Amino acid sequence: METLNVLALSGSLRKNSYNSAVINALKILAPDHVEVEVGEIGDLPLFNPDRENEKIASLENLKAALKASSGLVLATPEYAHGISGPLKNALDWLVSSLEFPYKPIMLINTSPRASHAQAHLREVLTTMSGRIVEEACVSIPLLSSGLDSDGIVNDKDIASVLQVAFKAFCDDIQACR
Ligand SMILES: Cc1cc2nc3c(=O)[nH]c(=O)nc-3n(C[C@H](O)[C@H](O)[C@H](O)COP(=O)(O)O)c2cc1C
C-alpha cells in the first residue's frame, strides 16, 4: 500500500501539553502505511507580512512538511475563548502559502468544554480554504486526566476513538486523490 504522509501540529508549547500528547499518541497509533510527522511551530517568529519574502528556516521547514503531507492534523488549547497564539501565528504565516488551500484537515479537541476555540479554528481554516473532514473531527476529554502520549495509547476507549477518526481521515484523503 502506498505510504500516506500526514503533518500534525499541536497549538500548545507546554511541556506536559495534552494537545501535544494526543498528537504524539496519534503518531504511535497510526497504521503502518501512514507516516505522521509532528511539526514544530514554537520556533516561528511572530508573523509580520513585511517578512513574508524572507528565507526563515523554521517557516521553510513547516512549509516543506506541509507540502510533503496529504493531510493536516491540528490540536489546540483554548485560551481566553480563542485558539492558542502559537497556532494562530503559524496559520498566519501559511495564509498566503500555496501549500495550504484545499488541504484535508482533522481536528482533535482535547477539552469538550472548549467550544469557542474550535469555532474560532474552523472560521480561520475555512477562510484559508482548508478542507475540514467532519468524520475525522473528534473531541476527547483529556483535561485533568493526567494522561501522556503512552497513557493515551494504552487507554482502549480513547485510542479507539482516535483510530476510528484517523481511519476516516485517511480514507477520505485516499478517496479524494
Ligand atoms: C491563560 C489561559 C487561558 C485559558 N482559557 C481557557 C478558556 O477560555 N476556555 C477553556 O476551556 N480553557 C481555558 N484554559 C485551559 C486550557 O485550555 C487547558 O489548560 C488546556 O489543557 C491547555 O492545553 P495543553 O494541555 O495542550 O497545554 C486556559 C488556560 C490558560 C493557561
Side-chain angles (χ1 to χ4, degrees), residues 2-177:
E2 200 188 334
T3 303
L4 202 62
N5 293 301
V6 169
L7 175 66
L9 301 176
S10 165
S12 176
L13 305 184
R14 206 167 65 84
K15 185 165 164 268
N16 294 323
S17 155
Y18 289 115
N19 288 284
S20 301
V22 83
I23 292 290
N24 288 321
L26 191 69
K27 185 175 172 68
I28 300 168
L29 291 167
D32 289 344
H33 73 285
V34 185
E35 183 63 44
V36 176
E37 178 176 350
V38 178
E40 185 56 60
I41 61 170
D43 49 1
L44 291 169
L46 288 178
F47 177 64
N48 179 348
D50 290 343
R51 299 189 64 190
E52 278 192 298
N53 294 325
E54 277 179 36
K55 288 256 178 273
I56 299 168
S58 52
L59 181 60
E60 297 288 313
N61 290 341
L62 179 62
K63 284 185 178 173
L66 190 60
K67 188 174 184 182
S69 71
S70 301
L72 177 64
V73 179
L74 296 175
T76 183
E78 176 165 298
Y79 292 144
H81 287 188
I83 64 174
S84 77
L87 181 60
K88 182 65 168 70
N89 185 53
L91 292 172
D92 284 347
W93 277 116
L94 297 173
V95 164
S96 16
S97 77
L98 298 175
E99 293 83 8
F100 196 91
Y102 313 113
K103 191 69 79 177
I105 300 168
M106 169 179 181
L107 301 179
I108 305 175
N109 182 10
T110 57
S111 172
R113 76 173 191 204
S115 57
H116 298 282
Q118 291 303 302
H120 179 203
L121 183 56
R122 283 169 173 273
E123 179 67 19
V124 171
L125 296 173
T126 308
T127 303
M128 292 172 66
S129 302
R131 185 170 71 78
I132 298 169
V133 178
E134 292 301 337
E135 309 75 49
C137 295
V138 280
S139 204
I140 299 165
L142 289 182
L143 211 64
S144 310
S145 69
L147 293 176
D148 60 9
S149 53
D150 286 340
I152 294 170
V153 169
N154 291 321
D155 184 306
K156 278 192 184 142
D157 292 339
I158 295 177
S160 166
V161 169
L162 273 176
Q163 281 174 311
V164 168
F166 194 57
K167 182 178 184 312
F169 188 51
C170 296
D171 286 351
D172 178 281
I173 292 170
Q174 268 154 345
C176 294
R177 274 184 159 182

